[in-house]
Each structure stands twice: as structure tokens, then as C-alpha cells.
Amino acid sequence: MSRKNLRNLQKLEHIDIEITRKCNLNCIHCSAGIERGRPKLSKDDVKNILCEAKSLGLKRVGFTGGEPFLSFQSLQELTDFSIQKLGTKIHIHSNGSLITPEIAKWVKQSNIDLTITVFGPSPEVHEVITQLRGSYNSTLNGLQNLLNYKVVFSVFIVPMKANIKEIPSLIKFVNDMGCKDIRILSLSPTGKALTNFIKYAPSQREIDHLNKEFIEIQNQLNISLNAGFCTRLNHPSLKIREGHDYCYSAQNRVHIDGFGNVFPCTAASGRLGFSAGNLMIPETNLSEIWQHSPLFKYIRKNLSNPDTKCQKCIKYKDCMGGCRVMMAYKYGDFSVSNPECGGPY
């Protein structure tokens, strides 16, 4: 994609939206976390937002949380509304622990894309991250229910210090179960992980070692592990996940949290400095934020007109100067191009 096309990519095609902040787990790195005392989006608020987004080009909606299956009736209603009234595709992000046979059957019948996050191949590893005893078996039961109904779904794996040594075993484990679509996600310095990022995130040495293991296990199992744009900055051997070939932050997508904050992407959610506006504020609307937010305009300009050192770099499309969220965390400036990059130019 040319930089000219990037500048013209202004349709809001993809929204991830938190329909609840509640969760039955307490994951150490969660971008949602637990916040109280602030007005949250209602079911009608979500519908109104999606209707407005449809006029901006909406094609795909991701319902997330918290844990969206804690609000199953609302989730069903919002899914039916999005599919039948707006004609959008739906995906749901879940921890999998609440998926009963009945829910698995509904997912299958509704033709919904589903993602389940698994942190380890054993309770000892998985539950260090979820901080809830019994969550490992609950998630496995959910996976098995999905497999029994032949639901097509993805398993998300997030390498952290707590599980990085077990990642190859985890990949083999879920692959042997029958989970064939496996996505790797890099930990983002947002939410709970922001103040503990050094404690939770793998070191560069651990990342380099894991990259060798990714190559070996893909060859060994004859599978393709896939990843979004930001994750491939750390793990370049991974397959490009559909719709994630570039950084589309504020280009064709946003993430809306349960309080109505609008972020340029999911990686930025949980960090209020990346909020372009709040939809719970009177006379504030999604169209205004999408078209006129100074933050979104700056991100778009920055991606299409990068720093001087990046403008003629043949590798720019592969890194785009680095993840904006990570640049803000490491250097205190989300606009800076990765100072550690040495070219080629």
C-alpha cells in the first residue's frame, strides 16, 4: 500500500468495543482492569455508536470486555442487531472459561468469529497470569465445547516472563487439541501492565530465543503462527494475519472502552493519554472524533509522512517507525520514530 493510499484510508471499517468491564478472571496484564464510579456504556449506547459508525463505513465489530460472555443476553442482542440491522461481521474476544455447550452452539449458528486467550499448557502457568484457581480447566472445557460443535475460532497466546518458557509446549498442546488458528500477541504497556511492564514483558534475549523456537515449531508441526503488525516487529517469522499487514491505528479502526473513551487501536486502550475523546460527554459523537480529532489527524500524518530518516527507507512499510504505544512508553513521545533503528535507509 502506498503512502498516498494510507492518507486516503479514512473509512471507519473496524470497531472493537467493550460491552462490559466485568470479568471473572483477574489477569495481571489486563488493559481493561477494574475501575469504579464512572458512567459506563449501556446496551443502547453501544447500538447508537454502531449505527453512527455504519455511516462512517463500518464493516466489522469486535465485542470485548472484560469478559463479554458474562453479559450473554446483551451480547446476543448486540450481535443480532449488528448482523441483522447493520450487516456487519462480528468477532468476540473471550477468555473461554464461560463457554458452555449452549454458547458454543450459538456461536456456531451465528457464524461468529471467536478468539480465546490461553496463557499456559498447565494450571501452574495459566493461573499465575489469570490469578484465579480453576480457570485453566474452565478454559479447556470451553475450548472443548467449541471443538465439539466444530466452531472456527482462534487461540491467542501472549508471551510474558511468567509463561515464555512454556510457549512452545502451549502451541503444541492447543494444536494437538485441534486448535489450528494460533495468533501470537505482544504484551502492550497499557492497563495493569503499564506500571509493571518491565516485570511482565520478556527481555530482548528471551524474545530472540523465542523467535528461534517459533521457526522450529512451525517447521516441526507444519503450521503457520500468525500475528498482527505490532507483534511482528518483535517476531518477524510469524505469518501476517489478515487485515494486519500495516499499522492501521486510526486509519480504519478504533477501540472504544466501556467508559466511552475512543482509542486509535486496541493496543492503545487502557492508556488514557491515547484517548481521542469520550462518547459519554454531551454533544460528543464518534463522527466528530473520527474526522477531526487532533490525535487521530496527527497519527495519520505521522504514518503517511514519517520522520526524515524513515522517508526513503525501504523497510518503512515493515516497521512504520515502530509501534506508537511502545514509543510513548519507551521514549515518552508517541510521535518519535524508533531511535534504535539503524536502517537500512
Side-chain angles (χ1 to χ4, degrees), residues 134-148:
S135 60
Y136 175 75
N137 286 334
S138 297
T139 294
L140 288 195
N141 287 338
L143 292 178
Q144 193 58 59
N145 288 330
L146 294 170
L147 291 168
N148 289 344

Side-chain angles (χ1 to χ4, degrees), residues 28 34 52 54 73 96 154 241 249 292 309 330:
I28 59 175
I34 299 174
E52 185 178 4
K54 183 65 179 179
Q73 289 186 334
S154 303
R241 190 166 184 85
S249 178
H292 303 295
K309 77 170 189 174
K330 293 180 70 173

Side-chain angles (χ1 to χ4, degrees), residues 34-270:
I34 299 174
E35 299 179 59
R36 304 181 187 278
R38 297 168 60 192
K40 300 179 181 65
L41 296 176
S42 68
K43 185 170 54 181
D44 287 339
D45 288 332
V46 173
K47 288 181 180 180
N48 290 335
I49 290 168
L50 296 181
C51 284
E52 185 178 4
K54 183 65 179 179
S55 68
L56 298 173
L58 186 65
K59 294 180 179 179
R60 186 175 181 85
V61 179
F63 292 124
T64 183
E67 172 48 52
F69 285 112
L70 276 174
S71 304
F72 186 41
Q73 289 186 334
S74 293
L75 179 61
Q76 288 178 299
E77 183 176 334
L78 289 170
T79 296
D80 290 343
F81 176 83
S82 300
I83 294 174
Q84 297 170 12
K85 300 294 184 180
L86 302 181
T88 63
K89 294 182 179 180
I90 298 296
H91 59 279
I92 298 172
H93 300 288
S94 169
N95 62 47
S97 64
L98 300 178
I99 296 179
T100 62
E102 292 73 22
I103 288 178
K105 182 179 179 180
W106 172 76
V107 173
K108 177 69 174 180
Q109 292 175 340
S110 302
N111 194 29
I112 292 168
D113 291 336
L114 185 65
T115 63
I116 307 294
T117 305
V118 186
F119 297 109
S122 67
E124 292 76 15
V125 178
H126 184 85
E127 292 171 10
V128 164
I129 295 172
T130 65
Q131 299 189 96
L132 183 69
R133 190 171 182 177
S135 60
Y136 175 75
N137 286 334
S138 297
T139 294
L140 288 195
N141 287 338
L143 292 178
Q144 193 58 59
N145 288 330
L146 294 170
L147 291 168
N148 289 344
Y149 277 91
K150 296 181 172 53
V151 175
V152 177
F153 65 96
S154 303
V155 169
F156 281 8
I157 295 175
V158 186
M160 290 182 263
K161 284 189 181 296
N163 67 355
I164 194 163
K165 293 181 180 179
E166 304 297 330
I167 296 297
S169 297
L170 175 56
I171 293 170
K172 291 177 183 178
F173 178 74
V174 296
N175 181 71
D176 289 344
M177 277 192 72
C179 309
K180 302 301 181 181
D181 185 3
I182 302 173
R183 177 179 176 182
I184 309 298
L185 290 92
S186 289
L187 183 66
S188 183
T190 59
K192 290 183 183 179
L194 177 59
T195 56
N196 291 293
F197 191 69
I198 295 177
K199 179 180 177 181
Y200 296 154
S203 66
Q204 188 59 54
R205 182 176 181 180
E206 289 171 319
I207 290 173
D208 292 342
H209 180 72
L210 184 59
N211 283 334
K212 294 178 182 178
E213 293 185 305
F214 280 154
I215 294 173
E216 292 174 1
I217 199 167
Q218 289 182 95
N219 291 333
Q220 177 185 347
L221 299 180
N222 193 27
I223 61 172
S224 292
L225 305 174
N226 61 80
F229 175 79
C230 290
T231 299
R232 295 197 313 278
L233 297 179
N234 288 328
H235 308 292
S237 71
L238 302 180
K239 178 184 176 183
I240 298 173
R241 190 166 184 85
E242 183 180 356
H244 293 267
D245 48 339
Y246 295 89
C247 175
Y248 290 111
S249 178
Q251 307 296 313
N252 71 347
R253 67 194 61 196
V254 297
H255 180 107
I256 302 174
D257 74 8
F259 302 116
N261 292 300
V262 183
F263 297 91
C265 62
T266 295
S269 66

